[in-house]
Amino acid sequence: MKDGTLTLMAVHAHPDDEATSTGGVLARYAAEGIRTVLVTCTDGGCGDGPGGIKPGDPGHDPAAVAAMRRQELQASRDVLKISDLETLDYADSGMMGWPSNDAPGSFWRTPVEEGAARLAELFRRYEPDVVVTYDENGFYGHPDHIQAHRITMAALELVPQTPKVYWTTAPRSMMQRFGEVLRELGEDFPEPDPAEAEAMAKIGLPDEEITTWVDTSAFGGQKFDALAAHASQGENIFFLKMGQEKFTDLMGVETFVRVQDTTGAAVPENDLFAGLR
């Protein structure tokens, strides 16, 4: 597929994940003429159903939820001007510890080798210059995010070396500011139990450990609208409660850790394609 055009591939777990941590870079690089490829690993069937029906509640139909979320994913793709969308359509595993983790066909119980082989075929087809996915904890411990990390890193071992590979992250300073903004908006969150508090403390990285800070503030409106396209999950998307202006102010820089590089570009850097153009 290579024709001299640079290519960014983002590997995500569910419909809506593409907008949260990479909506800005997907929109920015698409506007710069870079091919953007989104791989969504699961069908999102463990999301909320119409009217906010929760997984496991009477009337929750995972197949119907998955179909609805596929339409929302396409709408988000259109907003972000993503060049290519690939869906692996594994069953959503739900949150860690849910019975759906071990359901037949769930992403979490899929052998890493199987998922990696499928993803490697997409790597061969698109020959990405930059690959983005989650860290080994899936950013916050979601089983499907962890599995997306695992199959991505395994797939990278099956293909010629990709010039640059990144894991999404967030600076601890931003996580602190996020909590302040939610309190300003009147959001009342119960105190987490000690185990949850310990897990939350591991989210993100100290600012000085982040290698890559990409200014996407000019695309804050697109990122906000892409999240809003996932309307069925709006109750769970706290970012939307901020409004577009405050959202862009808080979320206008996307941050990453560079874990593979063949370019020798200096860090910290402000461009995923530093050293490639």
Side-chain angles (χ1 to χ4, degrees):
M1 177 172 276
K2 291 303 270 189
D3 57 4
T5 301
L6 291 170
T7 300
L8 165 66
M9 179 181 284
V11 182
H12 281 292
H14 311 98
D16 76 23
D17 290 331
E18 80 288 340
T20 307
S21 59
T22 59
V25 293
L26 287 166
R28 170 179 163 167
Y29 290 124
E32 293 179 6
I34 289 171
R35 178 183 290 118
T36 51
V37 182
L38 169 63
V39 180
T40 302
C41 295
T42 79
D43 61 10
C46 285
D48 289 356
I53 299 174
K54 302 296 181 184
D57 287 351
H60 186 276
D61 180 352
V65 171
M68 174 178 62
R69 297 194 72 184
R70 179 62 179 266
Q71 293 180 338
E72 293 175 339
L73 179 61
Q74 183 60 58
S76 174
R77 173 197 177 179
D78 292 344
V79 169
L80 297 174
K81 311 298 184 187
I82 294 169
S83 309
D84 299 272
L85 172 63
E86 299 284 350
T87 53
L88 301 185
D89 286 328
Y90 289 107
D92 189 341
S93 309
M95 300 298 287
M96 190 67 82
W98 288 11
S100 50
N101 292 176
D102 296 316
S106 76
F107 190 37
W108 182 239
R109 70 175 292 178
T110 297
V112 169
E113 296 78 9
E114 176 192 321
R118 293 183 64 193
L119 187 57
E121 282 302 307
L122 296 178
F123 286 164
R124 295 186 187 103
R125 182 187 310 170
Y126 290 103
E127 299 181 38
D129 301 283
V130 174
V131 169
V132 175
T133 193
Y134 314 102
D135 63 19
E136 59 265 78
N137 188 47
F139 186 60
Y140 69 99
H142 193 295
D144 287 331
H145 290 225
I146 294 171
Q147 188 75 329
H149 163 85
R150 289 173 176 171
I151 73 163
T152 301
M153 301 313 292
L156 287 166
E157 295 294 323
L158 301 176
V159 298
Q161 189 171 26
T162 300
K164 303 186 84 174
V165 179
Y166 293 88
W167 295 345
T168 59
T169 191
R172 295 268 167 82
S173 59
M174 189 275 279
M175 297 299 294
Q176 180 179 356
R177 178 61 183 143
F178 177 54
E180 293 170 356
V181 168
L182 289 177
R183 286 190 289 274
E184 289 169 6
L185 293 171
E187 295 293 331
D188 183 23
F189 291 97
E191 284 294 322
D193 64 34
E196 289 178 338
E198 183 179 357
M200 290 294 289
K202 295 178 181 178
I203 292 178
L205 288 173
D207 292 28
E208 62 273 13
E209 293 183 21
I210 293 172
T211 64
T212 311
W213 304 69
V214 184
D215 183 357
T216 61
S217 55
F219 303 91
Q222 277 178 264
K223 181 172 177 173
F224 185 87
D225 290 346
L227 273 173
H230 297 281
S232 67
Q233 309 307 306
E235 181 181 332
N236 304 316
I237 303 176
F238 299 117
F239 303 108
L240 295 175
K241 300 178 182 181
M242 302 177 185
Q244 183 175 311
E245 183 176 350
K246 191 175 288 291
F247 172 86
T248 300
D249 181 58
L250 182 65
M251 306 286 287
V253 175
E254 292 181 348
T255 50
F256 306 86
V257 173
R258 195 174 80 189
V259 295
Q260 181 171 302
D261 174 64
T262 65
T263 70
V267 292
E269 60 187 0
N270 58 13
D271 179 8
L272 296 178
F273 289 87
L276 291 169
R277 56 179 178 172

